[in-house]
Amino acid sequence: MTRPQTKPSLPSKDDLLAFIGQQSGKIGTREIARAFGLKNADRATLKRMLRELADEGRIERRRKKLHHPGTLPPVVLSDITARDADGELIALPTEWDEAEHGPAPRIRVRIARHARPNEVAGVGDRALLQVEESGEKDDPIRHSGRVIKLIDRARQRVLGIYRAAPGGGGRLAPIDKKQLGQELSIPAGAGANARDGDLVAVEVASRRSGYGLASARVTEKLGSLATERAVSLIAIHAHSIPHVFPAAVTAEANDAAKPVRLAGREDWRALPLVTIDPADAKDHDDAVYAARDDDPANAGGFVISVAIADVSHYVRPGSALDREALLRGNSVYFPDRVVPMLPERISNDLCSLRTGEDRAALAVRLVVGADGRKRSHSFHRVLMRSAAKLSYVQAQAAVDGWPDETTGPLLASVLEPLYSAYRTVKRARDARAPLDLDLPERKIVLTAHNTVDRVMTPERLDAHRLIEEFMILANVAAAETLERARVPLIYRVHDEPDPERVNALREFLQSLDISLPKAGALRAEQFNRILARVTGRDVE
């Protein structure tokens, strides 16, 4: 006698959640039905249960596959965005809701040693990754992924000299021979009206297959190779300096709103902080103010306020702006341009301390004694309003007796207290005797046609030294605060000079009748005395 077959019971919602969480491969309705032995008649009920779980937010459906919300599915479409300090590729999931789940998880991309060409990815590529958790608790990147398939490669951008051909089109001689060891063919109609000898940027359209050159099309005419504009662009390209912001970064910057309300900040708008920068500075990210300390216990002392634009108000951890700033690391300055770390909407507008406009700032209040030593400090998140935008030359001229219409009203109330505070701080610096390398800055001045007009050496003024000393004080206060909070931080240290180089210096100084002690550790004040002896001489 045959036994009647028992119908498989439908799994509960908890059973479904447990099963989905255990799977490392792709998982959909078909795989769940097969695992629980469900027939076609039960699949409609299964689909209804899965829809209810999705509506309750307990699972997510992405590309017809299921997984727990806020986690990565086993196979992820990803954009490879950067390399880490060890040179390994880092990817981010293409589809991720940061508003609901927070910053997108980073994925360390593994490339097999004997990978096929369609499995070798680079920065800017989009790829399908098979993802798993690394299992290493100390690793901030919890996921690793293997390239299954490259979906879209980043178009290669090449700079070079356009050489026109008689019958139309032409060739490109690349600037960087290491990047591209051969010329590129520019078909007729793909030259963007470039002229023979122009510096151009091209997009490589196809690689060479068999015989012949790879082809490309001109995307940008950069002008004559003789201009400094072209030289800057070559430097940007040769050093792989990111200079075009991704659309997501630009969108975040454009959506940023000005801080029109205090929103928990201290109101410092009545404090006449001023910015002091080079005359041609485009952004103004720090401001200063000083006043005599009215505390009887600190007679002759000052209270110095230093404020910097609060970039963190706009650049949030894990955001597109934050990731791009981490990739760039710093702004890069050329004679004719700046490649900024952050879009101009942030760097030149919202985080530029413009005169008369409310700005979010992080400020430190420094109490300095009559001996110039810092007695105490405190940090504040503030809303400030710059009282004036001054240049170094302008501020110095006012204190030296030549005020103008901007500095005149500020001379007694703002500038003279600033300089008095600087002279007080300088006493402590002189007593400390750090290495005093007052090296001249050289400035390249361009003509209206972007060619070099002259190279000048601006005069070093007390206005420069004032800002430098106040910024050093602010940095010391920041370091002390972080140390007290036991927050890891990086110091820049100046190690002792190499003994061989010291011996070479000693022999050279003997030719100038200047002695350098042989015994004991060298101190900065010894070098300062040597520099003082040659001041004004031909050997300075």
Side-chain angles (χ1 to χ4, degrees), residues 235-258:
I236 289 169
H237 187 75
H239 296 284
S240 300
I241 299 171
H243 65 289
V244 178
F245 286 103
V249 176
T250 304
E252 273 191 11
N254 291 338
D255 290 343
K258 294 183 179 180

PDB file of all heavy atoms in Angstrom, residues 235-258:
ATOM      1  N   ALA A 235      50.344  69.495 -16.664  1.00  0.00           N
ATOM      2  CA  ALA A 235      50.725  69.077 -15.303  1.00  0.00           C
ATOM      3  C   ALA A 235      49.569  68.351 -14.624  1.00  0.00           C
ATOM      4  O   ALA A 235      49.761  67.334 -13.949  1.00  0.00           O
ATOM      5  CB  ALA A 235      51.151  70.289 -14.481  1.00  0.00           C
ATOM      6  N   ILE A 236      48.358  68.864 -14.789  1.00  0.00           N
ATOM      7  CA  ILE A 236      47.181  68.217 -14.207  1.00  0.00           C
ATOM      8  C   ILE A 236      47.044  66.798 -14.737  1.00  0.00           C
ATOM      9  O   ILE A 236      46.794  65.849 -13.986  1.00  0.00           O
ATOM     10  CB  ILE A 236      45.911  69.045 -14.515  1.00  0.00           C
ATOM     11  CG1 ILE A 236      45.920  70.343 -13.709  1.00  0.00           C
ATOM     12  CG2 ILE A 236      44.644  68.245 -14.237  1.00  0.00           C
ATOM     13  CD1 ILE A 236      44.864  71.333 -14.131  1.00  0.00           C
ATOM     14  N   HIS A 237      47.231  66.659 -16.046  1.00  0.00           N
ATOM     15  CA  HIS A 237      47.069  65.350 -16.664  1.00  0.00           C
ATOM     16  C   HIS A 237      48.216  64.407 -16.289  1.00  0.00           C
ATOM     17  O   HIS A 237      47.994  63.240 -15.968  1.00  0.00           O
ATOM     18  CB  HIS A 237      47.010  65.521 -18.185  1.00  0.00           C
ATOM     19  CG  HIS A 237      46.680  64.265 -18.923  1.00  0.00           C
ATOM     20  ND1 HIS A 237      45.409  63.746 -18.955  1.00  0.00           N
ATOM     21  CD2 HIS A 237      47.452  63.413 -19.625  1.00  0.00           C
ATOM     22  CE1 HIS A 237      45.413  62.626 -19.662  1.00  0.00           C
ATOM     23  NE2 HIS A 237      46.643  62.408 -20.085  1.00  0.00           N
ATOM     24  N   ALA A 238      49.444  64.927 -16.304  1.00  0.00           N
ATOM     25  CA  ALA A 238      50.614  64.078 -16.035  1.00  0.00           C
ATOM     26  C   ALA A 238      50.593  63.517 -14.618  1.00  0.00           C
ATOM     27  O   ALA A 238      51.065  62.402 -14.376  1.00  0.00           O
ATOM     28  CB  ALA A 238      51.897  64.875 -16.280  1.00  0.00           C
ATOM     29  N   HIS A 239      50.057  64.288 -13.670  1.00  0.00           N
ATOM     30  CA  HIS A 239      50.042  63.847 -12.274  1.00  0.00           C
ATOM     31  C   HIS A 239      48.688  63.274 -11.857  1.00  0.00           C
ATOM     32  O   HIS A 239      48.447  63.055 -10.663  1.00  0.00           O
ATOM     33  CB  HIS A 239      50.431  65.006 -11.353  1.00  0.00           C
ATOM     34  CG  HIS A 239      51.831  65.493 -11.567  1.00  0.00           C
ATOM     35  ND1 HIS A 239      52.929  64.791 -11.109  1.00  0.00           N
ATOM     36  CD2 HIS A 239      52.316  66.582 -12.225  1.00  0.00           C
ATOM     37  CE1 HIS A 239      54.038  65.454 -11.455  1.00  0.00           C
ATOM     38  NE2 HIS A 239      53.690  66.526 -12.126  1.00  0.00           N
ATOM     39  N   SER A 240      47.802  63.065 -12.841  1.00  0.00           N
ATOM     40  CA  SER A 240      46.483  62.471 -12.575  1.00  0.00           C
ATOM     41  C   SER A 240      45.737  63.222 -11.480  1.00  0.00           C
ATOM     42  O   SER A 240      45.170  62.626 -10.564  1.00  0.00           O
ATOM     43  CB  SER A 240      46.627  60.988 -12.208  1.00  0.00           C
ATOM     44  OG  SER A 240      47.243  60.273 -13.257  1.00  0.00           O
ATOM     45  N   ILE A 241      45.761  64.550 -11.542  1.00  0.00           N
ATOM     46  CA  ILE A 241      45.059  65.382 -10.557  1.00  0.00           C
ATOM     47  C   ILE A 241      43.580  65.463 -10.945  1.00  0.00           C
ATOM     48  O   ILE A 241      43.251  65.941 -12.030  1.00  0.00           O
ATOM     49  CB  ILE A 241      45.675  66.797 -10.498  1.00  0.00           C
ATOM     50  CG1 ILE A 241      47.139  66.715 -10.069  1.00  0.00           C
ATOM     51  CG2 ILE A 241      44.878  67.694  -9.557  1.00  0.00           C
ATOM     52  CD1 ILE A 241      47.881  68.027 -10.194  1.00  0.00           C
ATOM     53  N   PRO A 242      42.671  64.979 -10.088  1.00  0.00           N
ATOM     54  CA  PRO A 242      41.244  65.058 -10.430  1.00  0.00           C
ATOM     55  C   PRO A 242      40.822  66.522 -10.527  1.00  0.00           C
ATOM     56  O   PRO A 242      40.995  67.288  -9.583  1.00  0.00           O
ATOM     57  CB  PRO A 242      40.557  64.361  -9.249  1.00  0.00           C
ATOM     58  CG  PRO A 242      41.641  63.638  -8.516  1.00  0.00           C
ATOM     59  CD  PRO A 242      42.904  64.377  -8.769  1.00  0.00           C
ATOM     60  N   HIS A 243      40.261  66.920 -11.679  1.00  0.00           N
ATOM     61  CA  HIS A 243      39.903  68.330 -11.851  1.00  0.00           C
ATOM     62  C   HIS A 243      38.471  68.525 -12.335  1.00  0.00           C
ATOM     63  O   HIS A 243      38.022  69.658 -12.477  1.00  0.00           O
ATOM     64  CB  HIS A 243      40.875  69.014 -12.826  1.00  0.00           C
ATOM     65  CG  HIS A 243      40.802  68.490 -14.231  1.00  0.00           C
ATOM     66  ND1 HIS A 243      41.262  67.248 -14.575  1.00  0.00           N
ATOM     67  CD2 HIS A 243      40.305  69.034 -15.357  1.00  0.00           C
ATOM     68  CE1 HIS A 243      41.065  67.039 -15.861  1.00  0.00           C
ATOM     69  NE2 HIS A 243      40.485  68.101 -16.354  1.00  0.00           N
ATOM     70  N   VAL A 244      37.754  67.442 -12.559  1.00  0.00           N
ATOM     71  CA  VAL A 244      36.347  67.523 -12.927  1.00  0.00           C
ATOM     72  C   VAL A 244      35.539  66.830 -11.830  1.00  0.00           C
ATOM     73  O   VAL A 244      35.787  65.667 -11.513  1.00  0.00           O
ATOM     74  CB  VAL A 244      36.081  66.855 -14.289  1.00  0.00           C
ATOM     75  CG1 VAL A 244      34.591  66.906 -14.613  1.00  0.00           C
ATOM     76  CG2 VAL A 244      36.889  67.535 -15.388  1.00  0.00           C
ATOM     77  N   PHE A 245      34.590  67.556 -11.239  1.00  0.00           N
ATOM     78  CA  PHE A 245      33.802  66.991 -10.148  1.00  0.00           C
ATOM     79  C   PHE A 245      32.702  66.082 -10.700  1.00  0.00           C
ATOM     80  O   PHE A 245      32.009  66.452 -11.662  1.00  0.00           O
ATOM     81  CB  PHE A 245      33.175  68.095  -9.302  1.00  0.00           C
ATOM     82  CG  PHE A 245      34.143  68.810  -8.412  1.00  0.00           C
ATOM     83  CD1 PHE A 245      34.612  70.071  -8.734  1.00  0.00           C
ATOM     84  CD2 PHE A 245      34.598  68.206  -7.256  1.00  0.00           C
ATOM     85  CE1 PHE A 245      35.518  70.724  -7.919  1.00  0.00           C
ATOM     86  CE2 PHE A 245      35.502  68.856  -6.425  1.00  0.00           C
ATOM     87  CZ  PHE A 245      35.968  70.110  -6.763  1.00  0.00           C
ATOM     88  N   PRO A 246      32.517  64.892 -10.107  1.00  0.00           N
ATOM     89  CA  PRO A 246      31.411  64.024 -10.514  1.00  0.00           C
ATOM     90  C   PRO A 246      30.068  64.724 -10.306  1.00  0.00           C
ATOM     91  O   PRO A 246      29.939  65.625  -9.470  1.00  0.00           O
ATOM     92  CB  PRO A 246      31.548  62.805  -9.585  1.00  0.00           C
ATOM     93  CG  PRO A 246      32.972  62.825  -9.123  1.00  0.00           C
ATOM     94  CD  PRO A 246      33.351  64.271  -9.061  1.00  0.00           C
ATOM     95  N   ALA A 247      29.060  64.275 -11.049  1.00  0.00           N
ATOM     96  CA  ALA A 247      27.740  64.920 -10.988  1.00  0.00           C
ATOM     97  C   ALA A 247      27.156  64.877  -9.579  1.00  0.00           C
ATOM     98  O   ALA A 247      26.532  65.846  -9.124  1.00  0.00           O
ATOM     99  CB  ALA A 247      26.795  64.237 -11.973  1.00  0.00           C
ATOM    100  N   ALA A 248      27.371  63.761  -8.845  1.00  0.00           N
ATOM    101  CA  ALA A 248      26.812  63.649  -7.494  1.00  0.00           C
ATOM    102  C   ALA A 248      27.432  64.675  -6.547  1.00  0.00           C
ATOM    103  O   ALA A 248      26.747  65.225  -5.672  1.00  0.00           O
ATOM    104  CB  ALA A 248      27.039  62.241  -6.951  1.00  0.00           C
ATOM    105  N   VAL A 249      28.724  64.956  -6.734  1.00  0.00           N
ATOM    106  CA  VAL A 249      29.419  65.939  -5.895  1.00  0.00           C
ATOM    107  C   VAL A 249      28.892  67.339  -6.190  1.00  0.00           C
ATOM    108  O   VAL A 249      28.589  68.122  -5.277  1.00  0.00           O
ATOM    109  CB  VAL A 249      30.937  65.856  -6.128  1.00  0.00           C
ATOM    110  CG1 VAL A 249      31.657  66.944  -5.341  1.00  0.00           C
ATOM    111  CG2 VAL A 249      31.464  64.485  -5.735  1.00  0.00           C
ATOM    112  N   THR A 250      28.781  67.659  -7.471  1.00  0.00           N
ATOM    113  CA  THR A 250      28.272  68.980  -7.867  1.00  0.00           C
ATOM    114  C   THR A 250      26.840  69.177  -7.372  1.00  0.00           C
ATOM    115  O   THR A 250      26.475  70.257  -6.897  1.00  0.00           O
ATOM    116  CB  THR A 250      28.329  69.127  -9.391  1.00  0.00           C
ATOM    117  OG1 THR A 250      29.668  68.896  -9.837  1.00  0.00           O
ATOM    118  CG2 THR A 250      27.899  70.515  -9.822  1.00  0.00           C
ATOM    119  N   ALA A 251      26.038  68.121  -7.461  1.00  0.00           N
ATOM    120  CA  ALA A 251      24.641  68.227  -7.017  1.00  0.00           C
ATOM    121  C   ALA A 251      24.566  68.494  -5.514  1.00  0.00           C
ATOM    122  O   ALA A 251      23.768  69.327  -5.066  1.00  0.00           O
ATOM    123  CB  ALA A 251      23.893  66.948  -7.374  1.00  0.00           C
ATOM    124  N   GLU A 252      25.393  67.790  -4.720  1.00  0.00           N
ATOM    125  CA  GLU A 252      25.403  68.028  -3.268  1.00  0.00           C
ATOM    126  C   GLU A 252      25.813  69.459  -2.947  1.00  0.00           C
ATOM    127  O   GLU A 252      25.240  70.107  -2.075  1.00  0.00           O
ATOM    128  CB  GLU A 252      26.368  67.061  -2.582  1.00  0.00           C
ATOM    129  CG  GLU A 252      25.756  65.740  -2.218  1.00  0.00           C
ATOM    130  CD  GLU A 252      26.647  64.905  -1.299  1.00  0.00           C
ATOM    131  OE1 GLU A 252      27.644  65.425  -0.776  1.00  0.00           O
ATOM    132  OE2 GLU A 252      26.318  63.733  -1.115  1.00  0.00           O
ATOM    133  N   ALA A 253      26.836  69.954  -3.665  1.00  0.00           N
ATOM    134  CA  ALA A 253      27.309  71.322  -3.416  1.00  0.00           C
ATOM    135  C   ALA A 253      26.229  72.341  -3.772  1.00  0.00           C
ATOM    136  O   ALA A 253      26.005  73.309  -3.035  1.00  0.00           O
ATOM    137  CB  ALA A 253      28.575  71.588  -4.214  1.00  0.00           C
ATOM    138  N   ASN A 254      25.547  72.125  -4.895  1.00  0.00           N
ATOM    139  CA  ASN A 254      24.511  73.070  -5.323  1.00  0.00           C
ATOM    140  C   ASN A 254      23.301  73.047  -4.403  1.00  0.00           C
ATOM    141  O   ASN A 254      22.585  74.046  -4.276  1.00  0.00           O
ATOM    142  CB  ASN A 254      24.083  72.760  -6.758  1.00  0.00           C
ATOM    143  CG  ASN A 254      25.176  73.079  -7.765  1.00  0.00           C
ATOM    144  OD1 ASN A 254      26.070  73.878  -7.494  1.00  0.00           O
ATOM    145  ND2 ASN A 254      25.129  72.441  -8.917  1.00  0.00           N
ATOM    146  N   ASP A 255      23.053  71.905  -3.755  1.00  0.00           N
ATOM    147  CA  ASP A 255      21.903  71.799  -2.859  1.00  0.00           C
ATOM    148  C   ASP A 255      22.181  72.369  -1.468  1.00  0.00           C
ATOM    149  O   ASP A 255      21.256  72.514  -0.660  1.00  0.00           O
ATOM    150  CB  ASP A 255      21.478  70.335  -2.716  1.00  0.00           C
ATOM    151  CG  ASP A 255      20.845  69.797  -3.997  1.00  0.00           C
ATOM    152  OD1 ASP A 255      20.458  70.621  -4.843  1.00  0.00           O
ATOM    153  OD2 ASP A 255      20.762  68.564  -4.151  1.00  0.00           O
ATOM    154  N   ALA A 256      23.452  72.655  -1.173  1.00  0.00           N
ATOM    155  CA  ALA A 256      23.804  73.151   0.164  1.00  0.00           C
ATOM    156  C   ALA A 256      23.177  74.524   0.379  1.00  0.00           C
ATOM    157  O   ALA A 256      23.202  75.385  -0.501  1.00  0.00           O
ATOM    158  CB  ALA A 256      25.318  73.232   0.313  1.00  0.00           C
ATOM    159  N   ALA A 257      22.641  74.736   1.568  1.00  0.00           N
ATOM    160  CA  ALA A 257      21.957  75.998   1.882  1.00  0.00           C
ATOM    161  C   ALA A 257      22.805  76.828   2.827  1.00  0.00           C
ATOM    162  O   ALA A 257      23.553  76.304   3.650  1.00  0.00           O
ATOM    163  CB  ALA A 257      20.603  75.713   2.515  1.00  0.00           C
ATOM    164  N   LYS A 258      22.696  78.123   2.703  1.00  0.00           N
ATOM    165  CA  LYS A 258      23.423  79.021   3.596  1.00  0.00           C
ATOM    166  C   LYS A 258      22.843  78.933   5.013  1.00  0.00           C
ATOM    167  O   LYS A 258      21.623  78.825   5.176  1.00  0.00           O
ATOM    168  CB  LYS A 258      23.334  80.462   3.094  1.00  0.00           C
ATOM    169  CG  LYS A 258      24.047  80.697   1.770  1.00  0.00           C
ATOM    170  CD  LYS A 258      23.996  82.151   1.368  1.00  0.00           C
ATOM    171  CE  LYS A 258      24.743  82.384   0.060  1.00  0.00           C
ATOM    172  NZ  LYS A 258      24.725  83.789  -0.361  1.00  0.00           N
TER     173      LYS A 258
END
